[in-house]
């Protein structure tokens, strides 16, 4: 067994034991309270989640929310990338963008949701909220990544008469990779949580946030926990998948490491 495989298995075992500890603590709390209306057990929630997985509306709700929130994230990420490149090469533009992006970052999500309800149809509110949450965060990360490019490498590029494309590909892009990973990891989580929160308030038909709202109104606590568990699992899957994709796409631009993420 290679050291890489052993480390991966050890890490998986460690996280499995941690998850088991908290599930046992949750189960003990449910037993002591003995009021499923307030705190259902993890077994009840798991059983209900399994039942929901067998229904067509469950997957329709996932598709509804996933499509819009991921669309909002992608628009925010690539919009931030364009603004970061423009702001890096045109410092006055970066100064011009700083106030509105700071306002967007500092304004509570609930305020944007309430305002967006006046401007947009409820089915697309989650995409808009995800876009707004991602834009300033990714912009700052990617701008810092561009600024972190090695000046000596840039001088070398001038000496060897690199084209602008070569400078970006071989100098700026490797510097951007860790910042892009941080932006994807953090931004996707923010987009998902903010998008679901928007759905809870906007109540678009068929959304995951609407299912949460319905479970709360009807006091179906087990359903509330089951939908929450589904949202958390989807968030983790999205984050891991997006980070793995960015790593795979960037491997050709970065020096080889001892541990490589398989594509």
């Amino acid at each position: 067994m290679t050291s890489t495989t052993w480390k991966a298995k050890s890490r998986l075992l460690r996280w499995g034991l941690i998850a088991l500890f908290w599930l046992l603590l949750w189960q003990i709390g449910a037993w002591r309270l003995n009021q499923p209306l307030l705190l259902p057990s993890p077994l009840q929630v798991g059983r209900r989640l399994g039942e929901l997985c067998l229904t067509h509306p469950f997957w329709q709700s996932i598709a509804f929310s996933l499509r819009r929130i991921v669309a909002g994230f992608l628009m925010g990420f690539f919009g931030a990338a364009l603004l970061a490149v423009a702001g890096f090469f045109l410092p006055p533009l970066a100064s011009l963008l700083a106030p509105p992006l700071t306002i967007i970052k500092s304004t509570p999500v609930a305020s944007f949701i309430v305002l967006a309800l006046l401007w947009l149809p409820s089915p697309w509110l989650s995409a808009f909220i995800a876009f707004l949450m991602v834009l300033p965060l990714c912009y700052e990360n990617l701008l810092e990544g561009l600024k972190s490019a090695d000046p000596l490498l840039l001088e070398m590029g001038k000496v060897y008469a690199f084209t602008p494309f070569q400078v970006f590909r071989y100098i700026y892009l490797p510097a951007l990779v860790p910042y892009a990973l941080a932006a994807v990891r953090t931004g996707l989580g923010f987009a998902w949580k903010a998008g679901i929160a928007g759905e809870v308030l906007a109540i678009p038909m068929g959304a995951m946030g609407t299912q949460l709202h319905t479970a709360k109104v009807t006091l179906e606590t087990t359903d509330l926990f089951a939908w929450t568990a589904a949202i958390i699992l989807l968030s983790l899957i999205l984050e891991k998948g997006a980070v793995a994709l960015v790593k795979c796409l960037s491997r050709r631009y970065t020096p080889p490491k001892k541990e490589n993420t398989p594509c």
Side-chain angles (χ1 to χ4, degrees), residues 21-260:
F21 169 79
W22 288 108
L23 286 173
L24 285 174
L25 197 63
W26 177 7
Q27 181 66 56
I28 292 169
W31 278 336
R32 294 295 301 271
L33 190 60
N34 197 26
Q35 292 189 37
L37 184 63
L38 297 178
L39 182 64
S41 70
L43 294 176
Q44 291 172 320
V45 173
R47 189 184 308 117
R48 181 56 182 154
L49 181 58
E51 293 171 355
L52 289 172
C53 288
L54 298 177
T55 63
H56 188 58
F58 176 81
W59 297 105
Q60 283 183 322
S61 295
I62 287 178
F64 182 99
S65 298
L66 198 61
R67 184 167 62 247
R68 286 160 175 78
I69 293 173
V70 170
F73 168 79
L74 291 175
M75 288 189 294
F77 182 84
F78 287 110
L82 291 173
L83 291 176
V85 171
F88 178 73
F89 291 106
L90 297 171
L93 178 61
S95 300
L96 190 65
L97 291 173
L101 290 175
T102 301
I103 291 172
I104 292 172
K105 187 175 66 174
S106 305
T107 303
V109 180
S111 299
F112 279 125
I113 294 172
V114 173
L115 288 171
L117 282 170
L118 302 175
W119 305 330
L120 297 171
S122 59
W124 286 102
L125 183 137
S126 56
F128 176 69
I129 295 300
F131 166 79
L132 279 183
M133 293 300 102
V134 167
L135 185 67
L137 189 150
C138 291
Y139 171 80
E140 290 182 356
N141 274 275
L142 296 175
L143 187 60
E144 286 300 315
L146 289 169
K147 291 178 180 178
S148 71
D150 191 339
L152 295 178
L153 291 178
L154 292 171
E155 288 297 326
M156 183 195 71
K158 291 180 181 178
V159 170
Y160 286 96
F162 279 13
T163 65
F165 176 77
Q166 288 174 321
V167 170
F168 183 79
R169 177 177 177 180
Y170 296 112
I171 300 175
Y172 283 115
L173 197 55
L176 273 172
V177 168
Y179 292 89
L181 285 172
V184 168
R185 186 178 287 114
T186 308
L188 198 51
F190 267 98
W192 188 248
K193 288 186 288 187
I196 295 296
E199 291 178 349
V200 171
L201 292 179
I203 320 178
M205 185 175 295
M208 296 185 78
T210 303
Q211 302 292 350
L212 280 177
H213 180 270
T214 302
K216 184 213 57 160
V217 170
T218 58
L219 295 179
E220 294 288 347
T221 312
T222 305
D223 279 26
L224 183 63
F225 273 74
W227 279 104
T228 302
I231 290 167
I232 293 171
L233 288 173
L234 276 172
S235 177
L236 292 173
I237 292 169
L238 278 175
E239 179 188 322
K240 297 297 182 183
V243 168
L245 179 61
V246 172
K247 285 182 177 179
C248 287
L249 292 175
S250 65
R251 280 175 62 185
R252 61 185 297 184
Y253 305 115
T254 55
K257 297 180 181 180
K258 293 182 180 179
E259 293 184 28
N260 286 324

